[in-house]
């Protein structure tokens, strides 16, 4: 590119691309000289001389730009560098090796062996330690310095995964990626690499150990997302874009040996009524398919390959009479790897758990334990020993710390908290005291009842005796009076009607006079009692027995009357 008579209008950043390789940016800055008719010149210089000098300066600038471009194009040695620029590469990452430089053809070498790949970039998906080696490239006969790729068969510090969905999105779509960390989510930064252009994404922190980012592809066909905090980082998640209505959506995480893998045939804006799956263009039997889902229950290396699906669908949610449609998805690669060694949790006693990692490397040291409660995020426990004692119920897991990374998470062990042992001694003592108390109360009640019953019985017997005696005495008195009256009456009749009648009447009058006298005596006694003392007299009712006995004594005149009558006889 020849620039003549440059001015500040030509300022900018210049880049060139040969094949599919783009150069580094070159910044061109031109300072315009101020020229005007009112300018004064010294040493006899004229305006024409200044303009000529300015033109010479521009010519020199044009020559320097051309020389710079020539040097970049011809004298530069190719170089291999890695994208993303991870401090460490872990198993399952997607990485790209770039051959930077000029010239054609492009050749690649791995451990000195030539490769068939001829592009300026080499994409390595779901890398493992099998990808370890020395990588070199050659451009225009010039060979780069070797680049050593080392993949750690471990997991990184943090985990990044889609909140929902897999690795494929429709064009213009987006997806939330959730970041889980052990310590503190604050201080972590996330990045996206689209092609060879990288951008920073600020995560939204949900709580101490969880953050989320919104991942979108923009116009890129694929993009890789990851997060870092100093030298620590998360796993990388690669999302791919499709422009078709039907899409095969594999999981974003690597497919691991002997683990379940789910492939879904999805329809943009709808749902598949029926789906047919293909592996390497061969139909997968319908017996292994459930409507729109194909599940590999235990993955093996034989399951590695290119998968796609064919779906039959209708937009029935828009119209009940919507026409049935069909479509194919883009092919998606599924790569099954062994992955990092996995830990195992076992119970060694009622509340002791032990973490095993039989295939972990020798540089593994201590252990990380994790506890999860329902509806709560996973949290790391302070213990770092192989065996821990648990008391709280929930889900427990572990992993082993191994230098730059970790083993895979163990299986989840569900622990149910044991009920606290009950001290029965206080309960037994309380029960004994209650029984003794109730027994004492019952005994006291029975004793009082017996005492009360004896008193009532004695009172009743005494009353019966008293009443019976009085009744017999009264009965005998009445009978005596009756006999006396009868005898007197008989004598009167024998001696003469008038005299006997008179004596009989006299005897009756005597009896009557006695009763009248007694009544009057009682009445006069009552009348003599002051009104204020009547109540007091009422309270002396128990003394009536004595009065009654006095009345009984006064009945003796009847006996005297009887004796007198008997004497007359």
């Amino acid at each position: 590119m020849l620039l003549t008579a440059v001015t500040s209008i030509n300022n900018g950043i210049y880049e060139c691309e040969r094949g599919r390789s783009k150069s580094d940016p070159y910044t061109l800055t031109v300072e315009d000289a101020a020229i005007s008719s009112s300018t004064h010149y010294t040493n006899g210089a004229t305006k024409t001389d200044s303009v000529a000098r300015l033109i010479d300066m521009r010519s020199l600038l044009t020559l320097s730009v051309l020389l710079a471009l020539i040097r970049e194009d011809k004298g530069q040695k190719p170089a291999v560098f890695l994208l993303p620029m991870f401090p460490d590469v872990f198993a399952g990452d997607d990485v790209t090796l770039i051959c930077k430089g000029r010239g054609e053809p492009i050749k690649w070498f791995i451990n000195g062996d030539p490769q068939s790949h001829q592009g300026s970039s080499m994409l390595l998906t779901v890398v493992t330690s099998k990808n370890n080696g020395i990588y070199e490239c050659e451009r225009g006969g010039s060979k780069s310095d070797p680049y050593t790729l080392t993949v750690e068969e471990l997991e990184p510090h943090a985990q990044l995964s889609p909140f929902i969905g897999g690795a494929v999105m429709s064009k213009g779509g987006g997806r939330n990626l959730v970041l889980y960390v052990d310590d503190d989510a604050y201080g972590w930064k996330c990045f996206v690499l689209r092609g060879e252009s990288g951008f920073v994404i600020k995560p939204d922190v949900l709580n101490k150990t969880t953050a989320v980012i919104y991942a979108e592809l923009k116009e890129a066909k694929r993009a890789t997302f990851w997060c870092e905090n100093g030298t620590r980082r998360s796993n990388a998640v690669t999302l791919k874009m499709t422009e078709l209505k039907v899409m095969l959506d594999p999981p974003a995480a690597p497919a691991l040996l002997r683990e379940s893998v789910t492939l879904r045939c999805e329809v943009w804006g709808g749902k598949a009524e029926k789906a047919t799956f293909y592996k390497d263009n061969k139909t997968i039997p319908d017996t292994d398919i459930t409507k729109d889902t194909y599940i590999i229950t235990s993955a093996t290396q034989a399951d590695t390959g290119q998968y796609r699906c064919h779906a039959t669908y209708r937009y029935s949610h828009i119209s009940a009479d919507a026409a049935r449609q069909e479509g194919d998805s883009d092919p998606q690669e599924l790569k099954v790897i062994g992955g990092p060694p996995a830990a195992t949790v076992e119970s060694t006693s009622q509340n002791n758990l032990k973490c095993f990692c039989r295939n972990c490397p020798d540089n593994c040291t201590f252990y990380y334990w994790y506890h999860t409660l329902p509806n709560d995020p996973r949290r790391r426990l302070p213990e770092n020993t192989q065996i821990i004692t648990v008391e709280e119920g929930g889900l427990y897991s572990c992993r082993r710390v191994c230098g730059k990374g970790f083993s895979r998470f163990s299986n989840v062990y569900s622990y149910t908290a044991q009920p606290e042992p009950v001290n029965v001694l206080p309960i037994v003592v309380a029960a004994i005291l209650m029984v003794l108390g109730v027994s004492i109360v019952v005994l006291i009640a029975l004793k009082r009842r017996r005492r009360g019953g004896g008193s009532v019985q004695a009172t009743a017997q005494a009353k019966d005796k008293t009443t019976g005696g009085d009744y017999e005495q009264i009965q005998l008195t009445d009978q005596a009076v009756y006999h006396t009256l009868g005898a007197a009456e008989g004598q009167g009749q024998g001696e003469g009607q008038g005299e006997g009648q008179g004596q009989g009447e006299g005897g009756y009058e005597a009896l009557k006079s006695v009763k009248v006298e007694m009544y009057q005596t009682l009445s006069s006694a009552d009348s003599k009692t002051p009104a204020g003392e009547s109540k007091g007299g009422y309270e002396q009712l128990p003394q009536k027995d004595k009065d009654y006995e006095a009345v009984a004594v006064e009945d003796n005149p009847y006996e005297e009357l009887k004796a007198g009558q008997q004497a007359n006889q």
Side-chain angles (χ1 to χ4, degrees):
M1 178 186 293
L2 177 62
L3 303 178
T4 61
V6 293
T7 66
S8 60
I9 298 176
N10 300 106
N11 288 354
I13 299 174
Y14 291 79
E15 297 173 284
C16 69
E17 181 176 325
R18 299 192 65 171
R20 289 169 20 180
S21 179
K22 184 182 287 187
S23 68
D24 291 333
Y26 180 88
T27 303
L28 175 63
T29 304
V30 178
E31 298 291 342
D32 286 338
I35 302 174
S36 65
S37 58
S38 61
T39 304
H40 298 279
Y41 302 98
T42 59
N43 299 326
T46 63
K47 180 178 179 181
T48 304
D49 294 333
S50 298
V51 172
R53 192 176 295 111
L54 178 61
I55 293 174
D56 291 339
M57 183 177 65
R58 290 173 177 175
S59 300
L60 290 174
L61 179 59
T62 302
L63 180 61
S64 65
V65 170
L66 289 174
L67 291 175
L69 291 175
I70 291 171
R71 284 196 302 269
E72 285 191 22
D73 190 37
K74 289 188 177 181
Q76 187 179 24
K77 185 178 180 179
V80 177
F81 65 96
L82 182 73
L83 288 179
M85 295 181 182
F86 291 142
D88 296 294
V89 179
F90 293 97
D93 285 340
D94 288 353
V95 296
T96 302
L97 294 172
I98 305 294
C99 182
K100 183 179 179 181
R102 301 287 184 268
E104 298 283 347
I106 301 174
K107 297 179 182 179
W108 284 92
F109 302 87
I110 301 178
N111 296 326
D113 298 329
Q115 305 295 310
S116 59
H117 184 74
Q118 295 181 353
S120 61
S121 62
M122 179 184 291
L123 175 64
L124 304 177
T125 61
V126 195
V127 295
T128 66
S129 57
K130 294 179 180 179
N131 298 106
N132 290 352
I134 299 174
Y135 291 77
E136 299 171 285
C137 73
E138 182 181 297
R139 302 196 67 146
S142 179
K143 202 170 189 178
S144 69
D145 292 332
Y147 177 87
T148 301
L149 176 64
T150 302
V151 178
E152 303 287 347
E153 287 285 354
L154 298 170
E155 286 193 347
H157 290 75
Q159 298 79 48
L160 186 67
S161 60
F163 179 74
I164 190 173
V168 179
M169 298 188 302
S170 298
K171 184 177 181 180
R175 188 159 292 173
N176 284 329
L177 302 181
V178 182
L179 174 67
Y180 297 98
V181 300
D182 285 345
D183 43 17
D184 195 346
Y186 291 97
W188 284 77
K189 295 180 180 179
C190 298
F191 305 88
V192 56
L193 179 67
R194 302 185 183 99
E196 296 181 13
S197 300
F199 303 91
V200 179
I201 303 176
K202 183 180 179 181
D204 293 326
V205 178
L206 301 181
N207 52 55
K208 184 177 180 181
T209 60
T210 309
V212 63
I213 63 173
Y214 185 70
E216 52 186 347
L217 301 178
K218 303 291 186 180
E219 297 300 324
K221 290 290 185 180
R222 63 186 294 135
T224 300
F225 300 82
W226 75 98
C227 300
E228 294 181 2
N229 185 359
T231 58
R232 299 176 299 169
R233 76 170 182 91
S234 72
N235 60 297
V237 174
T238 299
L239 300 180
K240 291 163 275 189
M241 185 264 287
T242 181
E243 297 183 9
L244 302 177
K245 289 185 178 180
V246 178
M247 67 185 79
L248 179 68
D249 195 17
L256 301 177
L257 280 173
R258 294 178 294 278
E259 292 195 0
S260 175
V261 180
T262 301
L263 304 178
R264 289 187 173 86
C265 190
E266 298 183 354
V267 177
W268 183 85
K271 190 172 181 64
E273 295 180 349
K274 183 181 178 182
T276 304
F277 289 83
Y278 302 88
K279 175 182 178 290
D280 298 330
N281 293 324
K282 294 181 180 179
T283 304
I284 297 175
D286 292 342
T287 54
D288 299 331
I289 299 171
T290 304
K291 197 175 180 180
D292 61 350
T293 303
Y294 172 52
I295 299 177
I296 303 172
T297 54
S298 181
T300 64
Q301 292 290 351
D303 294 309
T304 297
Q306 294 285 332
Y307 289 80
R308 63 183 179 87
C309 68
H310 177 87
T312 302
Y313 60 95
R314 291 190 309 153
Y315 292 111
S316 56
H317 61 285
I318 299 177
S319 172
D321 300 329
R324 181 173 282 104
Q325 303 181 47
E326 297 183 11
D328 291 314
S329 71
D330 289 325
Q332 302 294 339
E333 180 186 23
L334 181 66
K335 203 171 183 181
V336 180
I337 63 173
T344 303
V345 171
E346 295 179 2
S347 175
T348 58
S349 65
Q350 186 175 8
N351 60 341
N352 284 343
L353 301 180
K354 187 174 183 179
C355 185
F356 295 93
C357 187
R358 295 177 175 86
N359 297 322
C360 281
D362 296 335
N363 64 342
C364 295
T365 53
F366 47 91
Y367 301 81
Y368 276 3
W369 286 92
Y370 300 87
H371 180 224
T372 306
L373 291 173
N375 302 321
D376 284 346
R378 181 182 61 207
R379 64 182 180 91
R380 186 164 72 89
L381 300 176
E383 293 85 352
N384 58 9
T385 56
Q386 186 177 15
I387 300 176
I388 64 170
T389 300
V390 296
E391 297 179 355
E392 188 178 6
L395 303 179
Y396 288 86
S397 60
C398 71
R399 60 175 178 167
R400 199 166 182 190
V401 182
C402 305
K404 295 181 179 180
F406 298 82
S407 70
R408 275 158 55 193
F409 277 91
S410 69
N411 58 303
V412 175
Y413 185 89
S414 179
Y415 175 75
T416 302
Q418 301 296 323
E420 295 184 1
V422 179
N423 188 1
V424 297
L425 181 60
I427 299 177
V428 173
V429 172
I432 292 173
L433 293 177
M434 290 179 62
V435 171
L436 289 176
V438 172
S439 300
I440 292 172
V441 172
V442 171
L443 290 175
I444 293 174
L446 290 175
K447 191 172 181 180
R448 288 182 177 178
R449 173 177 284 185
R450 288 176 181 175
R451 287 181 178 178
S455 301
V456 171
Q457 187 176 2
T459 304
Q461 290 177 357
K463 186 178 292 186
D464 291 343
K465 289 180 180 179
T466 305
T467 306
D470 295 342
Y471 175 75
E472 290 176 359
Q473 184 177 358
I474 294 172
Q475 186 176 6
L476 291 174
T477 304
D478 292 342
Q479 289 178 355
V481 174
Y482 175 76
H483 285 302
T484 303
L485 292 176
E489 198 172 317
Q491 284 183 354
Q493 290 179 356
E495 293 180 357
Q497 180 73 24
E499 187 178 355
Q501 186 175 1
Q503 290 178 352
E505 289 177 359
Y508 176 77
E509 290 292 332
L511 178 60
K512 181 177 180 182
S513 64
V514 173
K515 292 184 176 179
V516 169
E517 184 179 357
M518 291 171 56
Y519 177 78
Q520 289 177 350
T521 303
L522 294 172
S523 300
S524 61
D526 292 337
S527 63
K528 291 178 182 181
T529 303
E533 295 180 359
S534 60
K535 186 175 181 181
Y538 176 75
E539 297 206 0
Q540 296 177 353
L541 286 177
Q543 298 179 355
K544 287 184 179 181
D545 293 339
K546 297 181 180 180
D547 297 339
Y548 179 79
E549 302 233 353
V551 173
V553 173
E554 290 179 358
D555 286 346
N556 290 334
Y558 297 103
E559 299 290 336
E560 294 177 0
L561 178 61
K562 180 178 179 183
Q565 288 179 354
Q566 290 179 353
N568 291 331
Q569 292 178 355

